[in-house]
Amino acid sequence: MHENVESWPDGDWVVRRITGSASTKPYRCPGCDQLIRPATPHIVAWPTESSTFTGAGIDERRHWHTGCWNARARRRRR
């Protein structure tokens, strides 16, 4: 799988694009709190450096709808 590092205002993130054929389980998108259904292309992202003292950044990986990931800088944090 191909991964890129993207720089965002909240730090550097490893971003992996998942194809529909590689997506076999449902996930909950943290951007919209909606289900990412199996067979849906999407993004998996995690910080390059952990935001906790107890693990690696990959332990914080989350599955995002591609549009939610791209729009996350415009969304207000709760």
Side-chain angles (χ1 to χ4, degrees):
M1 288 185 214
H2 186 66
E3 298 173 352
N4 291 315
V5 174
E6 297 182 6
S7 293
W8 287 78
D10 61 347
D12 292 338
W13 292 78
V14 178
V15 176
R16 180 184 296 164
R17 281 157 177 67
I18 305 297
T19 64
S21 62
S23 177
T24 59
K25 296 181 357 185
Y27 296 96
R28 177 103 17 218
C29 175
C32 66
D33 200 34
Q34 299 297 309
L35 197 64
I36 302 171
R37 298 190 188 282
T40 302
H42 64 278
I43 300 284
V44 177
W46 61 92
T48 58
E49 295 184 24
S50 177
S51 62
T52 68
F53 295 110
T54 59
I58 195 166
D59 295 333
E60 300 172 40
R61 69 181 172 259
R62 297 291 178 263
H63 294 252
W64 294 74
H65 289 109
T66 303
C68 292
W69 174 256
N70 292 334
R72 71 190 195 92
R74 295 189 302 263
R75 187 173 290 116
R76 293 177 103 164
R77 297 281 178 214
R78 296 178 191 166

